[in-house]
Amino acid sequence: GEGRDRTTAVLARPGADVPTALRVKVLRGAGILCRMLGDYDAAQAYLEEGLALCRTGGDRQEMTSLLSSLGNLRQVQGDYAASDAALAEALDLSRALQDEVGVAYTLISLGLTAYYQGDYARARSLEEEGLARMRALGDIGGSAYALCNLGCVALKDENCPEPQALAQPRLRL
């Protein structure tokens, strides 16, 4: 589509014409767009290029976003070890930057990775911590995301209390 064409055109310009900080942002956006379009190879290439630029002295906040995006990409690719590694690094960096929103979303993403691996106790713990942080931030969308994931965990986990009983006190966002 048009968004992908424009992004590709910007990235095709010689490096001197695009400041590094802008290039990193465009690479992250292109990576997310390609992931959503199902072009995982292109997404990985864009995200890894952006991450490499950040590792050589780029913006640490942008690096956190790239790590999270890469972790989420690895998750949909089924490479859970790589997903955990990228997300764990993003979580550490978010904590170091005191980025509470980044911490909360990364916990939720880590919980989803644990869910996909069948580690429901870890998934529940991470999602609950993410939910508590989202509620403290007043982030309704993030709270809903964590609640949805907790519902999925409750339906799969044989050791989980009755799913309806678990969800009942959480119905209020």
Side-chain angles (χ1 to χ4, degrees), residues 27 31 34 39-51 70 73:
L27 286 164
C34 288
D39 187 351
Y40 300 150
D41 291 337
Q44 182 175 330
Y46 287 135
L47 294 171
E48 287 180 350
E49 181 182 343
L51 187 56
L70 188 58
L73 171 66

Side-chain angles (χ1 to χ4, degrees), residues 45-78:
Y46 287 135
L47 294 171
E48 287 180 350
E49 181 182 343
L51 187 56
L53 289 171
C54 279
R55 288 194 191 284
T56 61
D59 180 340
R60 292 175 68 202
Q61 187 67 53
E62 191 64 38
M63 185 170 158
T64 301
S65 296
L66 282 157
L67 285 163
S68 293
S69 295
L70 188 58
N72 292 332
L73 171 66
R74 297 293 198 189
Q75 189 182 82
V76 297
Q77 289 175 309

Side-chain angles (χ1 to χ4, degrees), residues 110-141:
L110 280 163
L112 196 54
T113 301
Y115 168 79
Y116 287 135
Q117 294 177 85
D119 187 348
Y120 303 126
R122 181 172 180 250
R124 186 172 44 256
S125 174
L126 290 163
E127 295 297 340
E128 286 176 347
E129 185 179 350
L131 175 61
R133 288 172 179 269
M134 286 299 182
R135 285 186 167 157
L137 292 165
D139 188 325
I140 293 172

Side-chain angles (χ1 to χ4, degrees), residues 144-164:
Y145 182 42
L147 283 168
C148 178
N149 292 350
L150 278 165
C152 292
V153 171
L155 291 171
K156 291 280 191 176
D157 188 358
E158 295 173 359
N159 298 316
C160 185
E162 183 71 24
Q164 289 81 6

Side-chain angles (χ1 to χ4, degrees), residues 95-116:
R95 285 182 170 144
L97 295 171
Q98 298 179 352
D99 174 9
E100 290 303 314
V101 173
V103 169
Y105 272 107
T106 305
L107 287 165
I108 292 169
S109 291
L110 280 163
L112 196 54
T113 301
Y115 168 79
Y116 287 135

